[in-house]
Amino acid sequence: MALKDAFGLAYSGATEAGFSSYARAVHELQCFIGDPVGSIDRAIADDPAFVMAHVFKGYLFGLATERDAMAVARSCHTAALPLAGTPREQAHVAALGHLADGRWHESARILEDIAIDTPREALALQVGHQIDFFTGNARMLRDRIGRALPAWQKGMPGYHAILGMQAFGLEEMGDYGRAESFGRQAVEIEPRDGWAQHAVAHVMEMQSRQRDGIAWMRANPEAWTKESFLQIHNWWHLALFHYDLGETDEALKLYDGPIYGDRSTLALNMVDASAILWRLALGGVNVGDRWAALAGNWMPKAAAGNYAFNDAHAMMAFVGAGLEAPAKTLLDAQREAMRGEDDNAAFTRDVGHPLTLAIKAFGEGKYDEAVRLIRPIRSIAHRFGGSHAQRDVIDLTLIEAALRAGDTALARALTAERQLARPDSPLSALFSRRAADLSEN
């Protein structure tokens, strides 16, 4: 008789001891805290035939966006293959196999079906939600969770995470009022839910509510930073609020402290570091030798070619540090990636490669070329993943390139567009003044 959880879902090969560690790992992932890898390793040690423990570990590594991590994801898939005892587990194993082979969309589709059949399957919902994020699928970020929401209610284990994911999906679809409400409810239930905390920050970022955002992030940082592996990204959100207000010293202080003071070598953390430094550099801020240290940590990943979103942020660092060799290596790796059969081939071909070339052109002062490369990809930029807030760097680079190129008409058009979208943003106002100055000269 397979062990069953609080929702009646069966777990083949699990004992009480192994499932206890599994449940801990699920909670840690739902809050983005602790050490879910360590917890799931304990579950596997206790119950080597616990199929969902192997699948869970595979998902953790498959979502890391690191080339080396994919080997672990594949080994977990191999271990899980002969162990699945139910159709749900077999579907999970298949989803992991696709993810480990870089077929993000197919994995997401299988997880979608699992959640349709078993809407209280929290792991299927969360992994699917993360894949929707990494593939930039805003509608599914909302609808994957929205379909399951009626099956959940307050008091159920993990309910906060469902609310937090729904909040982020609503925000990415522009439903800001409901997004903030869901996110605040989630944090009230579980203050350590870093994803829900970040969903509310996204709302405030998109609405240019910088002071509200700073107050939200500063209110209880202990809750969302303690043992949190999402804390760097959440510190990045705080830095964005200060950046938009023109408080560049505060943004640099955050960079030197919680964002990149430890000089992480994880791609997910280095993306945030590159993203804030590039924004500051676009505004003419002297970031000193910070680029060199960051670029040094990106260099071993220059040839990875496994996730185009990472490539663009690595190129920011190489350009900032003035490093030609790794920039060339990265571009060569992208050309090879575009010949592949996984989803990253399309991520790279459609958005990643032209954007990475544009970033390099910008660094070389070829602003007209940067404009030429970025303009066609703006409307499809979601295809290579990330959030609206993260992809905003594409628009910022385009506006700055147009201003520096002296393209008065385009600069005026782009800054008017941004002023309409973000009327309360001091940065929007600054861009508009600069475009007006171009017109007068």
Side-chain angles (χ1 to χ4, degrees), residues 55-66:
V55 169
F56 187 102
K57 182 174 180 177
Y59 284 147
L60 290 177
F61 282 85
L63 294 170
T65 73
E66 304 268 5

PDB file of all heavy atoms in Angstrom, residues 55-66:
ATOM      1  N   VAL A  55      12.262  12.478  -8.626  1.00  0.00           N
ATOM      2  CA  VAL A  55      11.686  13.459  -9.550  1.00  0.00           C
ATOM      3  C   VAL A  55      11.856  14.874  -9.007  1.00  0.00           C
ATOM      4  O   VAL A  55      12.254  15.795  -9.739  1.00  0.00           O
ATOM      5  CB  VAL A  55      10.195  13.150  -9.796  1.00  0.00           C
ATOM      6  CG1 VAL A  55       9.524  14.305 -10.540  1.00  0.00           C
ATOM      7  CG2 VAL A  55      10.047  11.857 -10.587  1.00  0.00           C
ATOM      8  N   PHE A  56      11.566  15.047  -7.726  1.00  0.00           N
ATOM      9  CA  PHE A  56      11.685  16.361  -7.097  1.00  0.00           C
ATOM     10  C   PHE A  56      13.113  16.889  -7.237  1.00  0.00           C
ATOM     11  O   PHE A  56      13.326  18.051  -7.616  1.00  0.00           O
ATOM     12  CB  PHE A  56      11.296  16.254  -5.617  1.00  0.00           C
ATOM     13  CG  PHE A  56      11.211  17.571  -4.893  1.00  0.00           C
ATOM     14  CD1 PHE A  56       9.989  18.163  -4.620  1.00  0.00           C
ATOM     15  CD2 PHE A  56      12.362  18.226  -4.464  1.00  0.00           C
ATOM     16  CE1 PHE A  56       9.915  19.370  -3.940  1.00  0.00           C
ATOM     17  CE2 PHE A  56      12.298  19.422  -3.785  1.00  0.00           C
ATOM     18  CZ  PHE A  56      11.073  20.002  -3.525  1.00  0.00           C
ATOM     19  N   LYS A  57      14.088  16.037  -6.923  1.00  0.00           N
ATOM     20  CA  LYS A  57      15.478  16.476  -7.043  1.00  0.00           C
ATOM     21  C   LYS A  57      15.802  16.845  -8.489  1.00  0.00           C
ATOM     22  O   LYS A  57      16.467  17.858  -8.756  1.00  0.00           O
ATOM     23  CB  LYS A  57      16.432  15.385  -6.554  1.00  0.00           C
ATOM     24  CG  LYS A  57      17.898  15.796  -6.608  1.00  0.00           C
ATOM     25  CD  LYS A  57      18.818  14.753  -5.993  1.00  0.00           C
ATOM     26  CE  LYS A  57      20.280  15.198  -6.066  1.00  0.00           C
ATOM     27  NZ  LYS A  57      21.183  14.226  -5.411  1.00  0.00           N
ATOM     28  N   GLY A  58      15.301  16.066  -9.419  1.00  0.00           N
ATOM     29  CA  GLY A  58      15.534  16.368 -10.828  1.00  0.00           C
ATOM     30  C   GLY A  58      14.961  17.709 -11.232  1.00  0.00           C
ATOM     31  O   GLY A  58      15.591  18.477 -11.971  1.00  0.00           O
ATOM     32  N   TYR A  59      13.772  18.016 -10.733  1.00  0.00           N
ATOM     33  CA  TYR A  59      13.172  19.316 -11.021  1.00  0.00           C
ATOM     34  C   TYR A  59      14.043  20.453 -10.473  1.00  0.00           C
ATOM     35  O   TYR A  59      14.241  21.476 -11.145  1.00  0.00           O
ATOM     36  CB  TYR A  59      11.784  19.418 -10.399  1.00  0.00           C
ATOM     37  CG  TYR A  59      10.685  18.669 -11.115  1.00  0.00           C
ATOM     38  CD1 TYR A  59       9.626  18.115 -10.392  1.00  0.00           C
ATOM     39  CD2 TYR A  59      10.669  18.537 -12.505  1.00  0.00           C
ATOM     40  CE1 TYR A  59       8.593  17.448 -11.031  1.00  0.00           C
ATOM     41  CE2 TYR A  59       9.646  17.859 -13.149  1.00  0.00           C
ATOM     42  CZ  TYR A  59       8.600  17.321 -12.405  1.00  0.00           C
ATOM     43  OH  TYR A  59       7.580  16.668 -13.047  1.00  0.00           O
ATOM     44  N   LEU A  60      14.534  20.298  -9.252  1.00  0.00           N
ATOM     45  CA  LEU A  60      15.362  21.349  -8.655  1.00  0.00           C
ATOM     46  C   LEU A  60      16.555  21.679  -9.553  1.00  0.00           C
ATOM     47  O   LEU A  60      16.866  22.854  -9.785  1.00  0.00           O
ATOM     48  CB  LEU A  60      15.853  20.928  -7.276  1.00  0.00           C
ATOM     49  CG  LEU A  60      14.827  20.839  -6.144  1.00  0.00           C
ATOM     50  CD1 LEU A  60      15.499  20.336  -4.873  1.00  0.00           C
ATOM     51  CD2 LEU A  60      14.170  22.195  -5.890  1.00  0.00           C
ATOM     52  N   PHE A  61      17.212  20.654 -10.046  1.00  0.00           N
ATOM     53  CA  PHE A  61      18.396  20.878 -10.888  1.00  0.00           C
ATOM     54  C   PHE A  61      17.994  21.293 -12.304  1.00  0.00           C
ATOM     55  O   PHE A  61      18.678  22.107 -12.935  1.00  0.00           O
ATOM     56  CB  PHE A  61      19.277  19.634 -10.894  1.00  0.00           C
ATOM     57  CG  PHE A  61      20.107  19.493  -9.649  1.00  0.00           C
ATOM     58  CD1 PHE A  61      19.580  18.902  -8.513  1.00  0.00           C
ATOM     59  CD2 PHE A  61      21.405  19.981  -9.597  1.00  0.00           C
ATOM     60  CE1 PHE A  61      20.331  18.789  -7.343  1.00  0.00           C
ATOM     61  CE2 PHE A  61      22.167  19.875  -8.441  1.00  0.00           C
ATOM     62  CZ  PHE A  61      21.629  19.282  -7.312  1.00  0.00           C
ATOM     63  N   GLY A  62      16.882  20.784 -12.790  1.00  0.00           N
ATOM     64  CA  GLY A  62      16.442  21.148 -14.134  1.00  0.00           C
ATOM     65  C   GLY A  62      16.022  22.597 -14.256  1.00  0.00           C
ATOM     66  O   GLY A  62      16.101  23.186 -15.336  1.00  0.00           O
ATOM     67  N   LEU A  63      15.596  23.185 -13.133  1.00  0.00           N
ATOM     68  CA  LEU A  63      15.169  24.585 -13.134  1.00  0.00           C
ATOM     69  C   LEU A  63      16.299  25.550 -12.801  1.00  0.00           C
ATOM     70  O   LEU A  63      16.067  26.752 -12.698  1.00  0.00           O
ATOM     71  CB  LEU A  63      14.026  24.779 -12.130  1.00  0.00           C
ATOM     72  CG  LEU A  63      12.711  24.068 -12.463  1.00  0.00           C
ATOM     73  CD1 LEU A  63      11.747  24.149 -11.279  1.00  0.00           C
ATOM     74  CD2 LEU A  63      12.071  24.642 -13.719  1.00  0.00           C
ATOM     75  N   ALA A  64      17.497  25.041 -12.635  1.00  0.00           N
ATOM     76  CA  ALA A  64      18.621  25.891 -12.216  1.00  0.00           C
ATOM     77  C   ALA A  64      19.181  26.740 -13.347  1.00  0.00           C
ATOM     78  O   ALA A  64      19.943  27.678 -13.093  1.00  0.00           O
ATOM     79  CB  ALA A  64      19.730  25.027 -11.618  1.00  0.00           C
ATOM     80  N   THR A  65      18.839  26.430 -14.590  1.00  0.00           N
ATOM     81  CA  THR A  65      19.344  27.087 -15.806  1.00  0.00           C
ATOM     82  C   THR A  65      20.861  27.005 -15.923  1.00  0.00           C
ATOM     83  O   THR A  65      21.489  27.849 -16.568  1.00  0.00           O
ATOM     84  CB  THR A  65      18.889  28.560 -15.937  1.00  0.00           C
ATOM     85  OG1 THR A  65      19.597  29.390 -15.005  1.00  0.00           O
ATOM     86  CG2 THR A  65      17.383  28.703 -15.718  1.00  0.00           C
ATOM     87  N   GLU A  66      21.454  25.992 -15.304  1.00  0.00           N
ATOM     88  CA  GLU A  66      22.900  25.764 -15.367  1.00  0.00           C
ATOM     89  C   GLU A  66      23.159  24.506 -16.195  1.00  0.00           C
ATOM     90  O   GLU A  66      22.520  23.467 -15.975  1.00  0.00           O
ATOM     91  CB  GLU A  66      23.484  25.558 -13.958  1.00  0.00           C
ATOM     92  CG  GLU A  66      23.213  26.681 -12.976  1.00  0.00           C
ATOM     93  CD  GLU A  66      24.319  27.723 -12.970  1.00  0.00           C
ATOM     94  OE1 GLU A  66      25.244  27.612 -13.800  1.00  0.00           O
ATOM     95  OE2 GLU A  66      24.240  28.641 -12.146  1.00  0.00           O
TER      96      GLU A  66
END
